[in-house]
Amino acid sequence: MKVYIEQIEDYSPEQLYQYFSNVFQEERLGEILASKNSVLLKPNLLGTHTPEVAVTTHPVVIESLVRVLKVNGISNIFLGDSPGGTFRTENVWQITGMKEVATKLDIKLINFGTEGIEKITTGDFELMIDKQVLQFPAIINIAKYKTHSLTMFTGAVKNLFGSVPGLIKSDYHRLYPDSEKFAELLVAIYQVLKEQVVLNVIDGIWGMEGEGPSAGIPRNFGVMLASRSASALDFTAAKMMSFRSERIPTVRMSMEADNLSPEDIVLDEKWQEFQFPKVRLGRVSLYSSFMKKVPESIQKLFNRLYNYYPAFNKNCRLCRICVDSCPVKAITLEKEDLTPEIDYQTCIKCMCCHEFCPHNAVYIKKTLLAKILLK
């Protein structure tokens, strides 16, 4: 399974157009898409973030991909997502630059959930997926290259979580706060949609390290990555960030589901052993995974000294997105002149408040031991 990696330092429309043209030619995607009557582009549109903060898929990536699609005779193109939290979708389109691209190139914007959902039972899960997504014969999945405070890494498999409309995503965080079980959910969604996905892309020109997916540090990784296989793409991208990919539940589980081993992944020689230097990883969930393997008596002692939880800083603008998005209603805002309060007995540490806050007002507060271990 081939993963196409290209060094592209900035959002050059021509370089991106050439990159996608090469991928289309190598994978004969023009021929594959010729029989499809429509294509859905599924970017990462987490919330109301401008392109330069590296939280969402960059609009120039979308523009270049649409140009290649049109050259290959594909004109019935849609772009859709369901942002996290309580963001107004129209604001997300506008601020992320997608509205401008859609108007310029005559592509149709769709908001997942507006035409209903379909319930799909698979294994332990009842999945609720947007009906529109399920009806598309072809999907191009366009993720953003970022660390993630709960899942460690967010890539192509995680990006398909956006096919779950609105605050249903928060309900899933409430039902499956454990990172392993949540990863099982993400891979179950991936399994439902993967036959429709004709190409997976990761926008890594500017990505995010540290406490992603929205409150981390933007970094110019200077790469674009693509593959027909989401699991192969995520394995490769995570390894390049210096993660041990087998420790990331979504990567491990999706590779197993696809019956794919690292030896099956084909890379150009330049990238076979490549790793970015000194990537800051969001290590909270790494230690959560480690603690599950420790005896319960030691866990109790350790947890007295080691703890982390979301808290608010001076950036809070009282927008109430965290209050409305909290799946267990652990956050309240009683007085409009004070920051919200968190009931830590109720909080499940799903980090939805951290993920959805558009102002970087939520940070991860740590005890002294946690500061040492999670630095």
Side-chain angles (χ1 to χ4, degrees):
M1 184 61 65
K2 181 72 180 283
V3 175
Y4 299 88
I5 307 172
E6 185 74 27
Q7 185 171 356
I8 302 177
E9 297 293 336
D10 56 35
Y11 289 100
S12 160
E14 292 312 312
Q15 282 185 281
L16 283 164
Y17 175 82
Q18 190 59 55
Y19 169 72
F20 285 124
S21 295
N22 293 341
V23 173
F24 266 59
Q25 183 176 359
E26 289 282 335
E27 292 292 339
R28 304 175 68 178
L29 287 175
E31 297 174 33
I32 292 170
L33 291 170
S35 61
K36 316 294 185 183
N37 58 16
S38 59
V39 177
L40 171 67
L41 306 183
K42 165 60 183 80
N44 180 328
L45 299 180
L46 179 63
T48 51
H49 302 276
T50 56
E52 61 270 15
V53 299
V55 173
T56 55
T57 305
H58 199 283
V60 175
V61 172
I62 301 296
E63 181 174 351
S64 303
L65 183 53
V66 170
R67 286 175 58 201
V68 173
L69 284 167
K70 291 191 172 186
V71 165
N72 280 271
I74 313 301
S75 59
N76 200 21
I77 304 168
F78 295 77
L79 188 148
D81 198 7
S82 176
T86 57
F87 299 106
R88 289 187 65 247
T89 305
E90 187 64 31
N91 289 345
V92 175
W93 297 140
Q94 192 71 42
I95 293 170
T96 59
M98 298 299 156
K99 184 70 178 278
E100 183 178 351
V101 170
T103 302
K104 177 180 177 181
L105 298 177
D106 191 28
I107 59 177
K108 306 168 187 70
L109 296 174
I110 59 172
N111 181 14
F112 299 164
T114 56
E115 301 296 327
I117 62 172
E118 186 166 328
K119 295 182 180 180
I120 300 172
T121 301
T122 175
D124 296 336
F125 304 107
E126 183 178 70
L127 306 179
M128 289 181 276
I129 298 177
D130 174 67
K131 281 186 175 180
Q132 299 169 100
V133 174
L134 293 168
Q135 291 168 358
F136 277 96
I139 299 171
I140 298 180
N141 180 26
I142 313 153
K144 191 72 173 174
Y145 201 26
K146 299 185 290 183
T147 53
H148 195 285
S149 295
L150 179 63
T151 62
M152 304 186 214
F153 168 78
T154 181
V157 171
K158 172 72 168 61
N159 196 51
L160 293 173
F161 190 46
S163 63
V164 175
L167 289 173
I168 298 173
K169 290 191 283 293
S170 292
D171 285 337
Y172 281 139
H173 279 290
R174 173 179 57 82
L175 291 168
Y176 310 112
D178 176 79
S179 59
E180 287 277 331
K181 197 65 180 179
F182 187 66
E184 285 184 39
L185 170 76
L186 296 176
V187 174
I189 294 169
Y190 161 63
Q191 289 290 95
V192 169
L193 296 175
K194 74 175 184 178
E195 295 303 320
Q196 294 169 252
V197 178
V198 297
L199 183 66
N200 300 277
V201 176
I202 291 180
D203 167 13
I205 296 175
W206 275 89
M208 182 167 286
E209 61 183 357
E211 300 300 340
S214 62
I217 304 164
R219 175 165 173 168
N220 184 206
F221 291 103
V223 291
M224 287 294 300
L225 307 95
S227 178
R228 296 292 305 279
S229 166
S231 58
L233 182 62
D234 284 357
F235 177 91
T236 303
K239 184 179 177 183
M240 289 170 63
M241 263 192 182
S242 75
F243 281 110
R244 288 180 61 180
S245 297
E246 68 274 13
R247 290 188 176 180
I248 302 176
T250 51
V251 173
R252 185 184 72 248
M253 294 177 192
S254 62
M255 292 276 283
E256 291 171 356
D258 290 344
N259 195 27
L260 191 70
S261 67
E263 293 74 26
D264 298 323
I265 300 173
V266 179
L267 301 173
D268 289 342
E269 184 177 356
K270 173 182 177 180
W271 303 104
Q272 288 175 5
E273 301 299 328
F274 178 86
Q275 287 189 340
F276 291 104
K278 298 180 180 178
V279 178
R280 302 182 192 184
L281 305 180
R283 304 194 67 86
V284 163
S285 48
L286 284 171
Y287 279 92
S288 298
S289 299
F290 167 75
M291 285 305 294
K292 291 172 192 170
K293 302 175 183 178
V294 173
E296 187 175 350
S297 59
I298 297 177
Q299 284 188 39
K300 288 180 179 178
L301 175 62
F302 188 86
N303 286 336
R304 291 196 195 106
L305 303 173
Y306 167 89
N307 198 8
Y308 62 89
Y309 44 87
F312 294 93
N313 60 33
K314 63 183 180 181
N315 293 336
C316 181
R317 300 184 189 177
L318 306 175
C319 67
R320 296 187 61 88
I321 286 174
C322 60
V323 176
D324 296 334
S325 302
C326 179
V328 293
K329 305 304 177 188
I331 306 176
T332 55
L333 180 58
E334 300 296 338
K335 297 182 179 179
E336 296 298 330
D337 59 339
L338 298 175
T339 54
E341 294 185 359
I342 301 175
D343 178 355
Y344 291 110
Q345 297 300 314
T346 304
C347 175
I348 59 175
K349 298 182 182 178
C350 66
M351 302 301 172
C352 283
C353 52
H354 177 267
E355 180 174 349
F356 296 153
C357 179
H359 310 300
N360 287 341
V362 182
Y363 70 103
I364 299 174
K365 191 169 184 178
K366 306 161 189 170
T367 61
L368 178 60
L369 181 59
K371 287 179 181 177
I372 294 169
L373 294 178
L374 301 178
K375 62 184 178 179

